[in-house]
Amino acid sequence: MLWWKEFPEGLIFGEESFLTEPGYLPRQYPRSIARAFLLVDYNEEEGPRDELARPWYRVAWEAAEAFVERWGGVDEETLKRVLREGEGRDRLAAVFALGHSSGEGINEMLAPLLGHPDWLLRCAAACCLVLRRDERAIPVIERYLLTPGPTMVNSEGLICPVPEARCWYDHHKALVPWVLAEWGPESVVPVLRQALLQLWKEEENAEGLPGPVSLNVYEALCYALGRRGVLGALHGVRLPGPLRRQTLRLLALGYLRAPERFGTNDCYTLLQERVVRDEVQVVVIEKFGLGENEANELFERAWDDREQFDLWWLDPQEMDKEMALNKDSETVHLAAELARARRERQERQEQSS
């Protein structure tokens, strides 16, 4: 199942099952409520959290429980009242809970927020309306795709997202392009490419590889451009080898509409299908001008590239373990060098601030 085809019933986050299926938590919630509290981060702790002791879905469930205690419920009428009277994260949670529901009249309820002076409230409403395929949200969503989330300096002197924007602001940049890939006016096409170029520029400043969230954004943007037939998105852009290969794979998969035909947006799973590999090979040879050896490399290096993306964001101790286990792995050594460069850059930034 492809979630954007089944919205709002399609599963967007794996953690939704913990909040919606009996047996995991004392009380279950409808999917729209679960999704809202997975998107709006109520965690007040700074720094890393012990995921085994207090996993992410548990934090979201506790936030939903506290919301019910404050407002008396999460039914539609209560959410409408929070939309009128609430503020901060409660109001954002109400937007997402309503926007991800199947209730009637939701679009008309959210549309007035597109002109609200609060930028985050405008973006939240626009994201929900685009997922619901309401073209009134397009002007706001085009600006949103090109606008970094608001940030602050935390108690440790590090730059981080403001609490109201944590999680949902970046995550929706990985959701919206899947819808814009096949829906919306032509005006979104140059915006999608500009958003991708902007992301590349940001990552170039961070030694060249996407972060854990921006990797999903990057994949969604590449697929959307390929699906829209914009195979020239790479024109004039220099990329590291793994990122360039991944971009070509995603553009080709989008152009071939492979996720829709095979029911998954996992490009690594798709590339295991012989028919998909054959079709991708034809596209990259005929449309991108690759030679047969270069085309074969796209498949041969797919898992190595994925490993490098994953290793890039390991913490120092985990990286040391990988180095010990895979002493001869070129991918691990390259990822370790990039990770060290990233840490050194962060330390320089902290010292200068």
PDB file of all heavy atoms in Angstrom, residues 11 33 38 77 80 107 144 163 181 192-193 205 213 215 229 237 259 263 268 280-281 297 326:
ATOM      1  N   LEU A  11      -0.800   3.949   6.151  1.00  0.00           N
ATOM      2  CA  LEU A  11       0.159   4.066   7.248  1.00  0.00           C
ATOM      3  C   LEU A  11       1.332   4.938   6.811  1.00  0.00           C
ATOM      4  O   LEU A  11       1.986   4.657   5.809  1.00  0.00           O
ATOM      5  CB  LEU A  11       0.663   2.679   7.642  1.00  0.00           C
ATOM      6  CG  LEU A  11       1.460   2.565   8.935  1.00  0.00           C
ATOM      7  CD1 LEU A  11       0.563   2.804  10.132  1.00  0.00           C
ATOM      8  CD2 LEU A  11       2.102   1.180   9.023  1.00  0.00           C
ATOM      9  N   ILE A  33      -5.261  10.762  15.338  1.00  0.00           N
ATOM     10  CA  ILE A  33      -4.771  11.284  16.620  1.00  0.00           C
ATOM     11  C   ILE A  33      -3.348  10.794  16.863  1.00  0.00           C
ATOM     12  O   ILE A  33      -2.462  11.551  17.255  1.00  0.00           O
ATOM     13  CB  ILE A  33      -5.689  10.845  17.780  1.00  0.00           C
ATOM     14  CG1 ILE A  33      -7.136  11.284  17.520  1.00  0.00           C
ATOM     15  CG2 ILE A  33      -5.173  11.398  19.099  1.00  0.00           C
ATOM     16  CD1 ILE A  33      -7.313  12.767  17.349  1.00  0.00           C
ATOM     17  N   LEU A  38       2.588  11.931  16.979  1.00  0.00           N
ATOM     18  CA  LEU A  38       3.901  11.503  16.485  1.00  0.00           C
ATOM     19  C   LEU A  38       4.581  12.639  15.730  1.00  0.00           C
ATOM     20  O   LEU A  38       5.803  12.718  15.677  1.00  0.00           O
ATOM     21  CB  LEU A  38       3.748  10.275  15.575  1.00  0.00           C
ATOM     22  CG  LEU A  38       3.449   8.963  16.280  1.00  0.00           C
ATOM     23  CD1 LEU A  38       2.979   7.913  15.274  1.00  0.00           C
ATOM     24  CD2 LEU A  38       4.678   8.453  17.036  1.00  0.00           C
ATOM     25  N   GLU A  77     -15.199  17.767  18.003  1.00  0.00           N
ATOM     26  CA  GLU A  77     -15.650  19.034  18.593  1.00  0.00           C
ATOM     27  C   GLU A  77     -14.589  19.616  19.523  1.00  0.00           C
ATOM     28  O   GLU A  77     -14.372  20.828  19.551  1.00  0.00           O
ATOM     29  CB  GLU A  77     -16.970  18.835  19.340  1.00  0.00           C
ATOM     30  CG  GLU A  77     -18.163  18.606  18.428  1.00  0.00           C
ATOM     31  CD  GLU A  77     -18.323  19.728  17.402  1.00  0.00           C
ATOM     32  OE1 GLU A  77     -18.239  20.917  17.810  1.00  0.00           O
ATOM     33  OE2 GLU A  77     -18.519  19.422  16.222  1.00  0.00           O
ATOM     34  N   LYS A  80     -11.824  21.095  17.417  1.00  0.00           N
ATOM     35  CA  LYS A  80     -12.235  22.388  16.871  1.00  0.00           C
ATOM     36  C   LYS A  80     -12.093  23.487  17.922  1.00  0.00           C
ATOM     37  O   LYS A  80     -11.675  24.614  17.619  1.00  0.00           O
ATOM     38  CB  LYS A  80     -13.684  22.316  16.393  1.00  0.00           C
ATOM     39  CG  LYS A  80     -13.891  21.475  15.145  1.00  0.00           C
ATOM     40  CD  LYS A  80     -15.363  21.421  14.787  1.00  0.00           C
ATOM     41  CE  LYS A  80     -15.618  20.547  13.569  1.00  0.00           C
ATOM     42  NZ  LYS A  80     -17.061  20.448  13.250  1.00  0.00           N
ATOM     43  N   ASN A 107     -11.455  20.622   5.129  1.00  0.00           N
ATOM     44  CA  ASN A 107     -10.750  21.574   4.273  1.00  0.00           C
ATOM     45  C   ASN A 107     -11.216  23.003   4.520  1.00  0.00           C
ATOM     46  O   ASN A 107     -10.408  23.937   4.607  1.00  0.00           O
ATOM     47  CB  ASN A 107     -10.933  21.206   2.806  1.00  0.00           C
ATOM     48  CG  ASN A 107     -10.189  19.944   2.426  1.00  0.00           C
ATOM     49  OD1 ASN A 107      -9.920  19.096   3.271  1.00  0.00           O
ATOM     50  ND2 ASN A 107      -9.844  19.806   1.155  1.00  0.00           N
ATOM     51  N   TYR A 144       6.922  27.145   1.715  1.00  0.00           N
ATOM     52  CA  TYR A 144       7.345  26.246   2.794  1.00  0.00           C
ATOM     53  C   TYR A 144       8.483  25.331   2.347  1.00  0.00           C
ATOM     54  O   TYR A 144       9.465  25.127   3.084  1.00  0.00           O
ATOM     55  CB  TYR A 144       6.138  25.427   3.252  1.00  0.00           C
ATOM     56  CG  TYR A 144       6.451  24.114   3.925  1.00  0.00           C
ATOM     57  CD1 TYR A 144       6.930  24.055   5.224  1.00  0.00           C
ATOM     58  CD2 TYR A 144       6.252  22.903   3.244  1.00  0.00           C
ATOM     59  CE1 TYR A 144       7.197  22.843   5.840  1.00  0.00           C
ATOM     60  CE2 TYR A 144       6.509  21.693   3.846  1.00  0.00           C
ATOM     61  CZ  TYR A 144       6.988  21.662   5.149  1.00  0.00           C
ATOM     62  OH  TYR A 144       7.268  20.454   5.748  1.00  0.00           O
ATOM     63  N   PRO A 163      10.829  24.402  19.642  1.00  0.00           N
ATOM     64  CA  PRO A 163      10.014  23.246  20.054  1.00  0.00           C
ATOM     65  C   PRO A 163       8.775  23.040  19.195  1.00  0.00           C
ATOM     66  O   PRO A 163       8.414  21.904  18.892  1.00  0.00           O
ATOM     67  CB  PRO A 163       9.647  23.596  21.507  1.00  0.00           C
ATOM     68  CG  PRO A 163      10.748  24.479  21.977  1.00  0.00           C
ATOM     69  CD  PRO A 163      11.149  25.287  20.779  1.00  0.00           C
ATOM     70  N   ALA A 181       4.206  14.790  -6.648  1.00  0.00           N
ATOM     71  CA  ALA A 181       4.759  14.036  -7.776  1.00  0.00           C
ATOM     72  C   ALA A 181       3.699  13.773  -8.835  1.00  0.00           C
ATOM     73  O   ALA A 181       4.009  13.703 -10.036  1.00  0.00           O
ATOM     74  CB  ALA A 181       5.338  12.704  -7.285  1.00  0.00           C
ATOM     75  N   LEU A 192      10.096  22.287  -6.743  1.00  0.00           N
ATOM     76  CA  LEU A 192      10.661  21.006  -6.308  1.00  0.00           C
ATOM     77  C   LEU A 192      12.150  20.927  -6.637  1.00  0.00           C
ATOM     78  O   LEU A 192      12.958  20.497  -5.808  1.00  0.00           O
ATOM     79  CB  LEU A 192       9.922  19.849  -6.982  1.00  0.00           C
ATOM     80  CG  LEU A 192       8.474  19.606  -6.538  1.00  0.00           C
ATOM     81  CD1 LEU A 192       7.782  18.625  -7.474  1.00  0.00           C
ATOM     82  CD2 LEU A 192       8.421  19.102  -5.094  1.00  0.00           C
ATOM     83  N   ARG A 193      12.517  21.372  -7.832  1.00  0.00           N
ATOM     84  CA  ARG A 193      13.936  21.340  -8.204  1.00  0.00           C
ATOM     85  C   ARG A 193      14.740  22.333  -7.371  1.00  0.00           C
ATOM     86  O   ARG A 193      15.847  22.031  -6.919  1.00  0.00           O
ATOM     87  CB  ARG A 193      14.124  21.634  -9.691  1.00  0.00           C
ATOM     88  CG  ARG A 193      15.599  21.529 -10.123  1.00  0.00           C
ATOM     89  CD  ARG A 193      15.790  21.635 -11.621  1.00  0.00           C
ATOM     90  NE  ARG A 193      17.165  21.356 -11.981  1.00  0.00           N
ATOM     91  CZ  ARG A 193      18.121  22.286 -12.085  1.00  0.00           C
ATOM     92  NH1 ARG A 193      17.821  23.561 -11.856  1.00  0.00           N
ATOM     93  NH2 ARG A 193      19.356  21.952 -12.409  1.00  0.00           N
ATOM     94  N   ASN A 205      27.752  21.963   2.403  1.00  0.00           N
ATOM     95  CA  ASN A 205      28.421  22.640   3.501  1.00  0.00           C
ATOM     96  C   ASN A 205      28.671  21.707   4.679  1.00  0.00           C
ATOM     97  O   ASN A 205      29.381  22.052   5.605  1.00  0.00           O
ATOM     98  CB  ASN A 205      27.572  23.832   3.975  1.00  0.00           C
ATOM     99  CG  ASN A 205      27.453  24.896   2.899  1.00  0.00           C
ATOM    100  OD1 ASN A 205      28.323  25.022   2.047  1.00  0.00           O
ATOM    101  ND2 ASN A 205      26.364  25.656   2.927  1.00  0.00           N
ATOM    102  N   VAL A 213      17.085  12.981   8.494  1.00  0.00           N
ATOM    103  CA  VAL A 213      15.787  13.479   8.053  1.00  0.00           C
ATOM    104  C   VAL A 213      15.856  13.950   6.613  1.00  0.00           C
ATOM    105  O   VAL A 213      15.016  13.614   5.777  1.00  0.00           O
ATOM    106  CB  VAL A 213      15.292  14.618   8.965  1.00  0.00           C
ATOM    107  CG1 VAL A 213      14.014  15.238   8.401  1.00  0.00           C
ATOM    108  CG2 VAL A 213      15.028  14.099  10.378  1.00  0.00           C
ATOM    109  N   LEU A 215      17.664  13.031   4.249  1.00  0.00           N
ATOM    110  CA  LEU A 215      17.778  11.951   3.273  1.00  0.00           C
ATOM    111  C   LEU A 215      16.393  11.560   2.757  1.00  0.00           C
ATOM    112  O   LEU A 215      16.205  11.332   1.565  1.00  0.00           O
ATOM    113  CB  LEU A 215      18.472  10.744   3.893  1.00  0.00           C
ATOM    114  CG  LEU A 215      18.624   9.508   2.990  1.00  0.00           C
ATOM    115  CD1 LEU A 215      19.413   9.855   1.728  1.00  0.00           C
ATOM    116  CD2 LEU A 215      19.280   8.367   3.737  1.00  0.00           C
ATOM    117  N   GLY A 229       8.815  13.949 -14.863  1.00  0.00           N
ATOM    118  CA  GLY A 229       9.556  13.937 -16.126  1.00  0.00           C
ATOM    119  C   GLY A 229      10.720  14.892 -16.183  1.00  0.00           C
ATOM    120  O   GLY A 229      11.281  15.138 -17.266  1.00  0.00           O
ATOM    121  N   VAL A 237      25.068  20.296 -11.803  1.00  0.00           N
ATOM    122  CA  VAL A 237      25.273  20.057 -10.373  1.00  0.00           C
ATOM    123  C   VAL A 237      26.301  18.948 -10.185  1.00  0.00           C
ATOM    124  O   VAL A 237      26.196  17.880 -10.787  1.00  0.00           O
ATOM    125  CB  VAL A 237      23.950  19.643  -9.694  1.00  0.00           C
ATOM    126  CG1 VAL A 237      24.164  19.396  -8.206  1.00  0.00           C
ATOM    127  CG2 VAL A 237      22.894  20.722  -9.905  1.00  0.00           C
ATOM    128  N   PRO A 259       7.138   2.806  -8.074  1.00  0.00           N
ATOM    129  CA  PRO A 259       6.447   2.587  -6.797  1.00  0.00           C
ATOM    130  C   PRO A 259       4.961   2.302  -6.975  1.00  0.00           C
ATOM    131  O   PRO A 259       4.412   1.429  -6.290  1.00  0.00           O
ATOM    132  CB  PRO A 259       6.682   3.915  -6.052  1.00  0.00           C
ATOM    133  CG  PRO A 259       7.970   4.417  -6.598  1.00  0.00           C
ATOM    134  CD  PRO A 259       7.928   4.060  -8.054  1.00  0.00           C
ATOM    135  N   GLY A 263       3.811  -1.159  -5.767  1.00  0.00           N
ATOM    136  CA  GLY A 263       3.232  -1.019  -4.433  1.00  0.00           C
ATOM    137  C   GLY A 263       4.196  -0.754  -3.304  1.00  0.00           C
ATOM    138  O   GLY A 263       3.894  -1.042  -2.140  1.00  0.00           O
ATOM    139  N   TYR A 268      15.323   0.291  -2.761  1.00  0.00           N
ATOM    140  CA  TYR A 268      16.209  -0.874  -2.686  1.00  0.00           C
ATOM    141  C   TYR A 268      15.429  -2.165  -2.920  1.00  0.00           C
ATOM    142  O   TYR A 268      15.937  -3.105  -3.526  1.00  0.00           O
ATOM    143  CB  TYR A 268      16.924  -0.889  -1.332  1.00  0.00           C
ATOM    144  CG  TYR A 268      17.754   0.353  -1.118  1.00  0.00           C
ATOM    145  CD1 TYR A 268      17.267   1.414  -0.370  1.00  0.00           C
ATOM    146  CD2 TYR A 268      18.999   0.490  -1.714  1.00  0.00           C
ATOM    147  CE1 TYR A 268      18.010   2.566  -0.201  1.00  0.00           C
ATOM    148  CE2 TYR A 268      19.747   1.635  -1.556  1.00  0.00           C
ATOM    149  CZ  TYR A 268      19.247   2.671  -0.792  1.00  0.00           C
ATOM    150  OH  TYR A 268      19.972   3.818  -0.640  1.00  0.00           O
ATOM    151  N   VAL A 280      15.122   0.429 -15.574  1.00  0.00           N
ATOM    152  CA  VAL A 280      15.994   1.514 -15.096  1.00  0.00           C
ATOM    153  C   VAL A 280      17.244   1.598 -15.960  1.00  0.00           C
ATOM    154  O   VAL A 280      17.703   2.684 -16.315  1.00  0.00           O
ATOM    155  CB  VAL A 280      16.364   1.305 -13.613  1.00  0.00           C
ATOM    156  CG1 VAL A 280      17.492   2.257 -13.196  1.00  0.00           C
ATOM    157  CG2 VAL A 280      15.151   1.527 -12.721  1.00  0.00           C
ATOM    158  N   GLN A 281      17.796   0.445 -16.318  1.00  0.00           N
ATOM    159  CA  GLN A 281      18.994   0.440 -17.158  1.00  0.00           C
ATOM    160  C   GLN A 281      18.728   1.123 -18.501  1.00  0.00           C
ATOM    161  O   GLN A 281      19.544   1.901 -18.993  1.00  0.00           O
ATOM    162  CB  GLN A 281      19.480  -0.988 -17.373  1.00  0.00           C
ATOM    163  CG  GLN A 281      20.824  -1.057 -18.116  1.00  0.00           C
ATOM    164  CD  GLN A 281      21.422  -2.445 -18.060  1.00  0.00           C
ATOM    165  OE1 GLN A 281      20.700  -3.431 -18.062  1.00  0.00           O
ATOM    166  NE2 GLN A 281      22.740  -2.532 -18.003  1.00  0.00           N
ATOM    167  N   GLU A 297      26.818  -0.271 -12.612  1.00  0.00           N
ATOM    168  CA  GLU A 297      27.339   0.190 -11.312  1.00  0.00           C
ATOM    169  C   GLU A 297      26.207   0.729 -10.426  1.00  0.00           C
ATOM    170  O   GLU A 297      26.275   0.623  -9.198  1.00  0.00           O
ATOM    171  CB  GLU A 297      28.400   1.270 -11.518  1.00  0.00           C
ATOM    172  CG  GLU A 297      29.108   1.657 -10.226  1.00  0.00           C
ATOM    173  CD  GLU A 297      30.159   2.736 -10.446  1.00  0.00           C
ATOM    174  OE1 GLU A 297      29.997   3.539 -11.392  1.00  0.00           O
ATOM    175  OE2 GLU A 297      31.117   2.787  -9.665  1.00  0.00           O
ATOM    176  N   ASN A 326      34.584  -4.319  10.497  1.00  0.00           N
ATOM    177  CA  ASN A 326      34.735  -4.271   9.033  1.00  0.00           C
ATOM    178  C   ASN A 326      36.006  -3.521   8.666  1.00  0.00           C
ATOM    179  O   ASN A 326      35.971  -2.468   8.028  1.00  0.00           O
ATOM    180  CB  ASN A 326      33.513  -3.591   8.403  1.00  0.00           C
ATOM    181  CG  ASN A 326      32.219  -4.313   8.717  1.00  0.00           C
ATOM    182  OD1 ASN A 326      31.910  -5.331   8.131  1.00  0.00           O
ATOM    183  ND2 ASN A 326      31.475  -3.764   9.672  1.00  0.00           N
TER     184      ASN A 326
END
